[in-house]
Amino acid sequence: GPTKVLAKTATDNFAKKHPDGVYRLDQSNIETDLWPLPIHQMFMVASRMTRRFTMWGIDTIGDVARMELPNFKKLMRRMMGKQSDIQAEYYWQTARGIDPSPVVSSISAPLKSVSHGKTLRASLYTRREDIEVVLLELCIEVCRRARRLGVQGRVVSLGMGETDGKRANTFNRQLTLTNPTSLTHELSEAVLRLFNEFWQGLPASHIMIALNQLSSDRVQQLDLFDNRHKIFELEKTTDAIKDRFGDTAIMRASSMLEAGVARERAGQIGGHYK
């Protein structure tokens, strides 16, 4: 869409249901495609606000969009009080696909971290070897994202939640490497060290892996025992193949195990099924 709010709305409500994952939403089809949707599918309308809207006869996004802004503000004041004018204008603009915030081609602040996480069904991830499969898959994705951004990290972070339904534990620990990296084997080695030291043996419910203290990957430290530059170029080639042919074009054998989540993730858009 031509605005960020329309692009987000198109992704959440339409693109994920299309086979190619692409959908265009703009002023030419907003009335026919967006406005008939129920009000709870409007961006930033949660369950509590949905109940308030439906109580006042607002059932669809179009019900908001078709109202004149002054009238909608009056309705919102009756619902929520005099302080609701700003919120009313936001909802009214969202329903009409209006978003005054600019679309910029790059982030405004320096990148501080590259991370990837996964929420798991704890009942399925009780064994060390199954959790290690997911750890490796997350390391692969973190390193791929770092290379795409042209960065490498010197501080490795592992966050994890574990529970058996009666007991629960969470931890977030860091490890500083000798040299910054975006290589999968170096990141996974550090992550496994943290996992083996701090995991208390309960089933894993969520995992987060991050590279911090970032620097450009244009300068890399050489190693007497590993040809780090050759490994880096090999992983960049793997990235290019995945970018062209899909995430499942090249996969580790461990991802084919029942514990693997990479294949499932490849069939989703933004964490949701297509």
Side-chain angles (χ1 to χ4, degrees):
T3 65
K4 288 189 287 187
V5 71
L6 278 180
K8 173 65 175 173
T9 300
T11 301
D12 288 347
N13 295 296
F14 302 105
K16 292 172 182 177
K17 301 175 183 178
H18 277 234
D20 57 2
V22 178
Y23 187 85
R24 181 171 181 82
L25 183 66
D26 54 29
Q27 294 302 323
S28 67
N29 61 348
I30 188 173
E31 292 189 33
T32 57
D33 294 3
L34 178 63
W35 288 8
L37 294 180
I39 191 65
H40 73 266
Q41 290 184 238
M42 188 165 78
F43 182 54
M44 294 300 289
V45 174
S47 57
R48 186 176 180 182
M49 199 65 221
T50 297
R51 289 194 295 270
R52 285 179 169 172
F53 277 141
T54 54
M55 187 181 301
W56 287 84
I58 298 176
D59 298 314
T60 68
I61 297 176
D63 290 338
V64 174
R66 293 185 184 93
M67 295 180 69
E68 295 296 329
L69 180 56
N71 294 334
F72 184 59
K73 284 185 176 181
K74 290 179 182 178
L75 177 62
M76 286 286 288
R77 287 178 197 145
R78 290 200 294 270
M79 291 168 54
M80 304 180 64
K82 294 181 179 180
Q83 75 281 0
S84 64
D85 278 6
I86 295 177
Q87 192 173 2
E89 188 160 349
Y90 172 79
Y91 283 134
W92 186 82
Q93 288 183 345
T94 300
R96 292 185 167 221
I98 301 170
D99 186 358
S101 60
V103 178
V104 295
S105 59
S106 61
I107 56 177
S108 56
L111 189 65
K112 295 182 179 181
S113 176
V114 179
S115 62
H116 191 46
K118 180 68 177 177
T119 300
L120 305 169
R121 291 176 59 186
S123 60
L124 301 180
Y125 291 88
T126 61
R127 302 187 306 166
R128 177 185 299 273
E129 53 266 36
D130 291 337
I131 299 172
E132 288 178 349
V133 170
V134 181
L135 290 173
L136 176 58
E137 291 181 329
L138 294 179
C139 287
I140 292 171
E141 186 59 30
V142 169
C143 288
R144 182 183 175 190
R145 291 180 179 182
R147 291 189 296 268
R148 184 184 297 128
L149 294 166
V151 297
Q152 53 191 351
R154 190 160 182 255
V155 176
V156 176
S157 173
L158 172 63
M160 187 169 170
E162 45 183 320
T163 180
D164 62 0
K166 298 180 180 178
R167 298 169 296 165
N169 175 58
T170 61
F171 67 84
N172 195 311
R173 295 292 186 271
Q174 293 184 339
L175 177 66
T176 301
L177 304 175
T178 304
N179 302 306
T181 189
S182 61
L183 301 179
T184 301
H185 75 284
E186 292 179 344
L187 176 60
S188 61
E189 180 182 349
V191 165
L192 286 175
R193 285 174 58 188
L194 291 170
F195 172 65
N196 290 328
E197 182 175 355
F198 296 104
W199 181 50
Q200 294 189 2
L202 299 175
S205 57
H206 70 267
I207 302 172
M208 175 67 72
I209 294 174
L211 273 174
N212 307 291
Q213 202 176 112
L214 302 178
S215 59
S216 172
D217 63 10
R218 293 183 180 179
V219 178
Q220 297 190 20
Q221 178 65 44
L222 300 179
D223 191 291
L224 290 175
F225 305 102
D226 272 340
N227 190 336
R228 299 182 78 244
H229 177 71
K230 183 177 180 180
I231 297 172
F232 178 79
E233 291 301 318
L234 178 61
E235 295 207 357
K236 288 279 285 185
T237 301
T238 301
D239 296 341
I241 293 173
K242 288 183 176 181
D243 290 343
R244 182 174 180 180
F245 298 105
D247 292 343
T248 58
I250 297 180
M251 301 183 73
R252 298 287 181 111
S254 58
S255 292
M256 306 303 292
L257 297 173
E258 187 176 353
V261 297
R263 287 181 297 166
E264 176 189 10
R265 181 71 183 178
Q268 300 174 344
I269 300 176
H272 300 269
Y273 287 103
K274 298 176 183 177

